[in-house]
């Protein structure tokens, strides 16, 4: 998973980012590594079919349950970034036990998020000099 968000403009980059349109109140962008133990129960709770994508499921949980409440409804191993294009809010969420890693780099108005540190370090925007 790799996601870059330019916070000043809301511009989103990332090969694995999935843009979600047609949700109740606007567009979201999702990137993550997810394994949910309560996937079926959560789909039923949200009125979604069982074969819905992870991005659609997490987006619907965010929109239906609320921004601060949606992580509490998730059980499993996961780390994801969810960018609300309308609100210009970036959520970085990981599972309760921290099984799935989540790394980020924030500099000026650019946030780079990944579940692998080497993916972040490979980005040209990341300085190579030590920060003492």
């Amino acid at each position: 998973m790799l996601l870059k968000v330019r916070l000043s403009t809301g511009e989103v980059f990332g090969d694995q980012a999935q843009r979600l349109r047609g949700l109740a109140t606007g567009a979201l962008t999702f990137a993550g590594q997810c394994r949910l133990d309560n996937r079926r129960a959560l789909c039923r709770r949200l009125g979604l079919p069982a074969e819905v994508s992870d991005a659609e499921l997490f987006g619907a949980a965010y929109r239906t349950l609320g921004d601060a409440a949606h992580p509490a409804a998730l059980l499993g191993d996961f780390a994801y970034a969810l960018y609300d294009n309308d609100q210009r809010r970036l959520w970085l969420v990981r599972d309760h036990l921290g099984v799935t890693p989540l790394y980020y780099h924030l500099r000026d108005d650019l946030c780079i998020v990944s579940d692998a540190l080497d993916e972040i370090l490979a980005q040209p925007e990341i300085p190579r000099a030590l920060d003492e």
Side-chain angles (χ1 to χ4, degrees):
M1 155 187 68
L2 180 69
L3 182 72
K4 297 181 188 182
V5 178
R6 178 95 36 215
L7 300 173
S8 62
T9 63
E11 192 174 7
V12 179
F13 313 90
D15 294 341
Q16 298 158 347
Q18 299 178 44
R19 286 169 180 75
L20 305 174
R21 302 230 181 258
L23 293 172
T25 56
L28 300 172
T29 302
F30 173 89
Q33 295 292 330
C34 310
R35 184 196 55 78
L36 286 180
D37 295 330
N38 66 332
R39 183 177 179 72
R40 286 186 181 156
L42 188 57
C43 285
R44 279 193 306 272
R45 180 176 177 185
L46 299 172
L48 298 172
E51 55 279 344
V52 69
S53 72
D54 285 342
E56 292 169 320
L57 179 58
F58 283 77
Y62 171 78
R63 290 289 191 216
T64 304
L65 305 176
D67 52 10
H70 85 276
L74 308 173
L75 300 175
D77 301 336
F78 52 86
Y80 64 93
L82 184 68
Y83 184 70
D84 185 329
N85 303 61
D86 296 331
Q87 303 271 333
R88 285 203 168 158
R89 294 178 75 183
L90 177 64
W91 286 88
L92 305 179
V93 181
R94 61 189 283 202
D95 59 82
H96 307 289
L97 297 177
V99 173
T100 305
L102 182 66
Y103 303 99
Y104 70 95
H105 172 81
L106 180 62
R107 184 174 182 191
D108 300 324
D109 74 334
L110 179 67
C111 185
I112 303 173
V113 183
S114 179
D115 61 339
L117 188 55
D118 58 337
E119 283 188 342
I120 291 180
L121 295 175
Q123 301 306 305
E125 299 91 349
I126 303 298
R128 297 296 178 252
L130 291 177
D131 181 7
E132 295 183 27

